[in-house]
Amino acid sequence: MAESVLDGNALAGPLRELFAVDVTAAIGRCEGCGRVGPVATLVLYGPAPGLVARCPGCDAVVLRLVRGPDRAWLDLRGVTSLEIPLNSHLSGQI
Amino acid sequence: MNGRLVWRVARLVEARDETPTARTLVLEVPDWPGHLPGQHVDVRLTATDGYSAQRSYSIASAAGAEGDTRVELTVQRVPDGEVSPYLAEVFAVGDPVELRGPVGGWFVWRAADPAPVLLIGGGSGIVPLMAMVRARAAAGSRVPFRLIYSVRSPEDVLYADELRRRGRDDFGLDVAYVYTRQSPEGFPRPPGRIGLATLAGHGWPADFAPACFVCGPTGFVETVADFLVAQGHDPRRVKTERFGPSGG
């Protein structure tokens, strides 16, 4: 298995490189088991060769992110929906 | 929002030893936009051959006044780590480091939230919780805070003097310790892991609906979060942040 176990909070930087909002605060639904919870609570493995986020409920792969020198590959196979807060006090903070 | 997240070159302006294996880095970060307590930064080191390694570090300081471009990180040296031994031992005043942030919008405390707060930290999981304690004081907030800090021994306590002072002077802040390997002399309990009794004695009743923040190693975070939910806390009010055993 991968070398270090973190959680979805650590996806904040890598995902803010791609998206204009903080995706870790979004509520996702797991395609595997239907669990609903913040992206920040996913179990994260990585960093090499990429970040793999699994559902803490059923261990299914929810998201994979690989960053190359000039592009990124994002695989969202395990998330059926994301509810993204837009009125965050963080607006303008980042 | 200011568009894409960019790497900035920060410089070390001061370093403070916290314990024999941890030190606080005071960084000057150009154009720092301010931050919320609980947010973190990504730090990147690049070797001359181009190999680079990246880690996330919680911000330890409260945001200063607008335009304050200083950020404090506390780095615990992980033996055989790729990044932390450099930051904790070699990195010197004046040296540059690449940094991006602040990031993370979930594990954050907002001073406008009136709910009582329960902070539970294991080891260096205290760092983002300390930012919350400092931000509370900086905001002049009267929101009641309780902090439970689980740590191996008295020598491993980060921010020991400041916590002693704040526990005494910050009105509405209670600080309790759990020692897992070695207790100080005269401490009422033998060393041991955090348990339900400690949470019941030093936490908040679930019907106060506190905002709970738990940070530490994976096993610690999972155990404490399960205890809190078993005590009746709404799982949505229990926010967690974990770091792996080899996060170094």
Side-chain angles (χ1 to χ4, degrees):
Chain A
M1 207 55 212
E3 60 282 2
S4 84
V5 184
L6 297 160
D7 62 27
N9 290 298
L11 283 168
L15 289 175
R16 261 300 268 118
E17 195 175 28
L18 311 179
F19 297 104
V21 295
D22 174 50
V23 178
T24 65
I27 309 294
R29 177 181 291 274
C30 172
E31 202 259 345
C33 68
R35 177 188 179 272
V36 172
V39 170
T41 61
L42 296 173
V43 179
L44 189 69
Y45 299 88
L51 295 165
V52 178
R54 290 177 177 271
C55 173
C58 71
D59 211 34
V61 173
V62 174
L63 174 158
R64 297 189 303 166
L65 175 60
V66 176
R67 176 71 158 88
D70 63 353
R71 69 197 64 204
W73 290 265
L74 177 61
D75 170 353
L76 291 165
R77 63 177 63 192
V79 58
T80 50
S81 67
L82 282 175
E83 175 189 335
I84 300 165
L86 295 176
N87 60 344
S88 165
H89 295 272
L90 287 174
S91 298
Q93 275 282 345
I94 296 181
Chain B
M1 297 290 164
N2 303 326
R4 278 166 58 98
L5 184 63
V6 295
W7 290 98
R8 296 182 167 97
V9 176
R11 265 177 210 285
L12 185 67
V13 292
E14 185 191 337
R16 291 194 299 269
D17 288 333
E18 300 285 355
T19 71
T21 57
R23 71 171 181 164
T24 291
L25 310 175
V26 184
L27 298 164
E28 178 78 40
V29 190
D31 304 320
W32 183 252
H35 61 274
L36 293 171
Q39 288 194 291
H40 64 268
V41 295
D42 294 337
V43 172
R44 179 165 73 181
L45 299 180
T46 305
T48 45
D49 65 2
Y51 173 78
S52 78
Q54 189 178 316
R55 293 291 183 276
S56 297
Y57 288 102
S58 290
I59 300 169
S61 48
E66 200 174 331
D68 185 356
T69 53
R70 289 193 172 198
V71 178
E72 296 187 11
L73 311 178
T74 302
V75 178
Q76 175 73 47
R77 182 170 59 77
V78 178
D80 305 321
E82 266 187 331
V83 174
S84 68
Y86 174 79
L87 292 178
E89 289 168 1
V90 182
F91 190 46
V93 168
D95 285 350
V97 69
E98 281 187 295
L99 174 152
R100 70 179 179 189
V103 290
W106 186 67
F107 193 85
V108 295
W109 177 69
R110 293 177 170 88
D113 184 348
V117 171
L118 175 57
L119 309 174
I120 306 176
S124 47
I126 187 68
V127 175
L129 310 182
M130 193 65 187
M132 296 178 191
V133 167
R134 288 167 165 167
R136 172 185 183 274
S141 166
R142 291 297 183 100
V143 168
F145 265 43
R146 287 185 172 172
L147 167 65
I148 303 174
Y149 183 4
S150 169
V151 62
R152 275 193 303 194
S153 74
E155 290 73 44
D156 293 301
V157 174
L158 298 173
Y159 321 119
D161 291 343
E162 184 179 344
L163 281 173
R164 198 174 301 118
R165 176 174 60 75
R166 290 193 181 281
R168 191 186 61 219
D169 300 343
D170 285 16
F171 184 78
L173 168 69
D174 291 329
V175 182
Y177 294 89
V178 175
Y179 297 96
T180 59
R181 298 255 182 94
Q182 185 209 327
S183 306
E185 264 192 35
F187 195 72
R189 284 186 309 279
R193 298 199 170 185
I194 192 167
L196 276 167
T198 302
L199 293 180
H202 296 283
W204 296 109
D207 50 357
F208 283 28
C212 304
F213 295 91
V214 186
C215 185
T218 292
F220 175 87
V221 164
E222 287 177 356
T223 300
V224 171
D226 287 348
F227 282 161
L228 290 171
V229 172
Q231 283 186 317
H233 292 273
D234 181 346
R236 288 170 301 183
R237 306 283 290 164
V238 178
K239 296 192 172 181
T240 53
E241 183 164 79
R242 58 180 100 191
F243 49 82
S246 62

